[in-house]
């Protein structure tokens, strides 16, 4: 009896199953998925330097490869070394662990991957050292620090989700190169380098151990979060609805006030006054926020999606350039872009395709208090009155003219009655 011929579909699927790689639960460096990426692809792509394998070898990033070699030389000179052998051997011991940190496989072999780990890692560490050590005169002699535009774009490139090295690689290189007089930790050097970037600062008392730090973006994300002292009390209050925009809230009697500089998440609403810490909006702000949000979207085990919730809060407040102008006048937004409409469009798109957790929305309690304020009958009538009669200078002028006319008519009536009485 002739052998039964295998079904070609079954054979194909069985072959694919045999070559299927196991799931990788250890990965934490991802490529940004299409739904987020399509809104603004350039926000996730480095413009000056590649870190890690995802963007390695791109033509526009090749000029920085020479700077990486030069910084490796500076790195070796710190210990009066001329040979990279011990560092290469150390990276070889970590290469498999490092490769498992990336969600997508790369076409690079182990030798190429080790070279990337060494060059990129040493560049980052030496950059942090030179930023902390060099005075103004010495910085001008450094090809990187004497170009202000490059300093800003470098900071942003080092904080892109797709442009990361595992933090344990940086720590290994840092500890191997550390001298006995070194007082700063790698985390402190990193925080110093990124301090004030896009108007954000690390919180007071932020812990300086590397437990739970996966990469530089993770470190900066963690350092910007509210501290235990300033964190809002945890509640099970679920987000019911969004609040109105800034101009609508003003019509309901809410005033906006500049909050204290520091943690941008510390928004407060009390007695009809909303205090918002000042947010500095610069050229890098959109990309910075987008990568922080993307990082949060790949972690389902966190208590709050702080940056996603923060952007949602501003998306609610800002519907038009008028809202941006109102917040700018209150001191809550520092507009370095010059155009209120650009900021309005930015916030209206930052939350697109971002998943929110209504059961753990960080501002759910604040939203509920604002809704309660706006739903009070007096505030509702006040909002309608302002919207219908005081929403423009001409409306106000018309109202005042009518009021004056009414007062004059009343005075004339009273005068006529008094005159008749005297007769």
């Amino acid at each position: 009896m002739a052998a039964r011929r295998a079904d070609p579909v079954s054979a194909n699927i069985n072959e694919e199953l045999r070559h299927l790689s196991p799931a990788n639960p250890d990965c934490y460096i991802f490529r940004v998925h299409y739904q987020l990426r399509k809104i603004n692809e350039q926000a996730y792509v480095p413009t000056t330097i590649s870190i890690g394998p995802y963007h390695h070898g791109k033509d526009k990033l090749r000029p920085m490869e020479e700077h990486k070699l030069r910084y490796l030389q500076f790195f070796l000179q710190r210990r009066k070394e001329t040979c990279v052998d011990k560092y290469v051997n150390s990276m070889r011991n970590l290469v498999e662990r490092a490769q498992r940190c990336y969600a997508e496989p790369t076409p690079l072999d182990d030798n190429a991957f080790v070279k990337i780990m060494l060059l990129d890692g040493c560049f980052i560490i030496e950059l942090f050292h030179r930023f902390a050590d060099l005075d103004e005169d010495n910085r001008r002699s450094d090809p990187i620090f004497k170009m202000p535009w490059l300093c800003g774009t470098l900071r942003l490139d080092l904080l892109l989700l797709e442009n990361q090295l595992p933090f344990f690689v940086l720590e290994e290189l840092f500890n191997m190169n550390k001298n006995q007089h070194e007082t700063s930790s790698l985390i402190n050097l990193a925080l110093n380098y990124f301090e004030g970037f896009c108007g954000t600062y690390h919180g007071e008392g932020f812990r300086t151990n590397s437990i739970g730090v996966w990469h530089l973006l993770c470190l900066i994300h963690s350092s910007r979060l509210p501290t235990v002292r300033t964190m809002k009390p945890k509640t099970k209050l679920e987000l019911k609805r969004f609040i109105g925009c800034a101009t609508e809230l003003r019509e309901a009697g809410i005033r906006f006030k500049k909050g204290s500089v520091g943690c941008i998440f510390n928004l407060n609403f009390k007695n009809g006054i909303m205090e918002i810490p000042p947010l500095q909006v610069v050229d890098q702000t959109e990309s910075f926020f987008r990568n922080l949000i993307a990082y949060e979207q790949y972690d389902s085990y966190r208590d709050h999606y702080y940056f996603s919730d923060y952007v949602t809060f501003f998306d609610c407040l800002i519907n038009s350039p008028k809202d941006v102008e109102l917040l700018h006048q209150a001191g809550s937004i520092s507009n370095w872009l010059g155009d209120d409409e650009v900021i309005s469009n930015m916030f209206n798109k930052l939350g697109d395709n971002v998943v929110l957790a209504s059961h753990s929305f960080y501002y759910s309690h604040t939203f509920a208090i604002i809704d309660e304020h706006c739903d009070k009958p007096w505030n509702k009538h006040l909002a309608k009155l302002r919207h219908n009669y005081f929403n423009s200078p001409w409306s106000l002028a018309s109202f005042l003219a009518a009021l004056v006319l009414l007062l004059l008519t009343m005075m004339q009536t009273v005068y006529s009655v008094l005159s008749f009485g005297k007769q």
Side-chain angles (χ1 to χ4, degrees), residues 224-331:
R224 268 50 177 174
L225 301 185
T227 60
V228 175
R229 182 176 59 85
T230 61
M231 191 174 292
K232 295 181 181 297
K234 290 185 178 180
T235 63
K236 295 295 183 181
L237 189 63
E238 187 172 353
L239 176 64
K240 298 296 184 182
R241 63 178 180 178
F242 292 128
I243 58 174
C245 65
T247 50
E248 291 173 347
L249 295 181
R250 182 181 62 175
E251 289 173 354
I254 292 176
R255 291 191 294 122
F256 294 91
K257 182 180 177 182
K258 178 182 177 181
S260 57
V261 177
C263 181
I264 60 174
F265 300 102
N266 292 341
L267 311 169
N268 289 302
F269 180 76
K270 188 176 182 180
N271 298 327
I273 298 176
M274 184 180 292
E275 291 189 9
I276 304 176
L279 173 66
Q280 186 182 95
V281 183
V282 296
D283 290 335
Q284 297 93 349
T285 299
E286 179 176 356
S287 184
F288 181 49
F289 276 5
R290 283 192 178 280
N291 281 273
L292 289 165
I293 292 169
Y295 166 68
E296 290 182 341
Q297 295 290 295
Y298 280 99
D299 185 357
S300 60
Y301 296 103
R302 59 179 61 255
D303 291 333
H304 296 288
Y305 295 93
Y306 289 95
F307 280 92
S308 303
D309 295 350
Y310 178 80
V311 165
T312 299
F313 176 85
F314 266 95
D315 188 17
C316 291
L317 283 185
I318 296 174
N319 276 349
S320 70
K322 288 184 178 180
D323 299 310
V324 178
E325 181 183 8
L326 175 58
L327 295 174
H328 176 68
Q329 290 174 349

Side-chain angles (χ1 to χ4, degrees), residues 83-219:
C83 180
V84 299
D85 287 357
K86 72 173 187 179
Y87 298 103
V88 170
N89 290 333
S90 178
M91 294 299 99
R92 283 199 184 281
N93 293 332
L94 295 176
V95 66
E96 289 188 12
R97 180 184 171 193
Q99 287 171 332
R100 289 196 300 270
C101 297
Y102 293 88
E104 295 189 15
T106 64
L108 303 171
D109 60 24
D110 285 359
N111 288 333
F113 206 96
V114 166
K115 184 177 180 181
I116 287 175
M117 292 164 65
L118 178 63
L119 287 177
D120 294 359
C122 290
F123 174 84
I124 291 171
I125 294 168
E126 183 61 25
L127 180 70
F128 292 169
H129 273 305
R130 294 175 80 79
F131 181 82
D133 297 343
L134 293 182
D135 58 31
E136 196 63 33
D137 291 335
N138 288 330
R139 284 183 183 176
R140 290 197 187 101
S141 66
D142 188 300
I144 289 178
F145 286 102
K146 73 178 182 180
M147 292 183 282
W149 68 268
L150 182 56
C151 293
T153 53
L154 259 182
R155 278 193 180 92
L156 181 60
D157 280 355
L158 294 181
L159 294 177
L160 302 181
L161 179 59
E162 299 179 354
N163 218 32
Q164 298 297 316
L165 274 184
F167 200 76
F168 64 79
V169 172
L170 298 177
E171 276 200 310
E172 178 70 11
L173 292 169
F174 178 81
N175 291 331
M176 290 180 67
N177 187 253
K178 191 175 183 179
N179 63 54
Q180 59 182 354
H181 303 296
E182 183 71 57
T183 57
S184 294
S185 67
L186 176 59
I187 284 184
N188 284 334
L189 287 173
L191 292 177
N192 177 58
Y193 180 74
F194 291 108
E195 185 70 348
F197 183 65
C198 288
T200 64
Y201 302 86
H202 71 272
E204 295 180 10
F206 176 71
R207 52 98 175 105
T208 56
N209 64 71
S210 60
I211 298 174
V213 176
W214 309 123
H215 41 65
L216 288 178
L217 179 61
C218 171
L219 172 64

Side-chain angles (χ1 to χ4, degrees), residues 46-77:
T47 57
T48 56
I49 189 171
S50 68
I51 299 295
Y54 285 158
H55 295 279
H56 178 75
K58 289 188 175 180
D59 288 340
K60 69 175 183 178
L61 306 177
R62 290 187 187 278
M64 284 301 296
E65 296 303 308
E66 183 179 342
H67 289 293
K68 290 180 184 179
L69 284 171
R70 186 177 293 110
Y71 267 43
L72 173 59
Q73 191 175 57
F74 294 151
F75 178 85
L76 295 172
Q77 289 172 356

